[in-house]
Amino acid sequence: LQPSLIKDIAVHFPTLAPHPHGYLTILSALDAAGADERLHFNHWLGDEPVVLRILKSKVGAFVVRRMIEWGLDAPSMGKLAWTVLPHVQDLAVTPTATWVLLRLLEEEVQLGGERDLAAALTNNTALEVLVRDPLGAALSMHKKPIYLLSTT
């Protein structure tokens, strides 16, 4: 694909990525894109409404997963983390977003230090239980209360 076509496709990322057929166009363009052209797609990862809508879509979440697997640059990964992690409670019960959410949490843990929330979530099985049981019935059977988010 020509760089100008890839750039034109990137403009339509928010509508094509969650579309049942449009996501294939995005994947093809990403596959053909060089590092410079991928930046046109990556900039959307900081747009909160776009990212949340895409992650709640089965095919859209797959597009984001493939972007991560193919190697997002550090600034784009950081943008995605800052966009997604504040919504961890909502996305934890969204099966389509699970892989991306867990991957971002793992990435945050690897950065160390200030990432206590991410470390607590990845070391706690509550996230996996919550994904399988969105109503939280299984969580209430634990002896200790499980808090996904803490203000301390």
Side-chain angles (χ1 to χ4, degrees):
L1 295 175
Q2 296 295 321
S4 60
L5 180 58
I6 291 171
K7 186 176 179 180
D8 289 342
I9 292 170
V11 169
H12 298 286
F13 180 81
T15 53
L16 289 174
H19 189 274
H21 303 293
Y23 83 102
L24 295 170
T25 303
I26 296 291
L27 292 176
S28 295
L30 283 168
D31 190 39
D36 291 339
E37 288 90 19
R38 285 187 182 199
L39 293 175
H40 298 296
F41 295 92
N42 294 355
H43 93 273
W44 288 108
L45 300 179
D47 189 317
E48 188 173 319
V50 169
V51 170
L52 294 177
R53 192 183 74 211
I54 287 171
L55 287 177
K56 290 178 182 179
S57 152
K58 184 177 181 179
V59 295
F62 179 73
V63 169
V64 175
R65 177 180 179 159
R66 296 299 294 166
M67 290 173 78
I68 293 170
E69 289 173 341
W70 286 340
L72 277 179
D73 58 84
S76 296
M77 193 68 152
K79 250 194 292 190
L80 183 60
W82 280 106
T83 303
V84 171
L85 291 182
H87 301 280
V88 69
Q89 287 177 307
D90 296 329
L91 294 173
V93 296
T94 307
T96 57
T98 304
W99 187 93
V100 172
L101 181 60
L102 290 173
R103 179 66 178 96
L104 289 174
L105 290 170
E106 289 167 4
E107 185 79 19
E108 290 292 292
V109 169
Q110 290 175 3
L111 293 174
E114 303 169 27
R115 312 300 184 181
D116 295 333
L117 171 61
L121 286 168
T122 54
N123 292 328
N124 190 325
T125 59
L127 185 61
E128 290 177 17
V129 171
L130 189 56
V131 168
R132 282 184 264 120
D133 181 23
L135 298 178
L139 292 177
S140 64
M141 295 189 301
H142 289 275
K143 293 180 183 176
K144 294 181 187 176
I146 297 172
Y147 301 101
L148 286 179
L149 291 178
S150 172
T151 56
T152 59

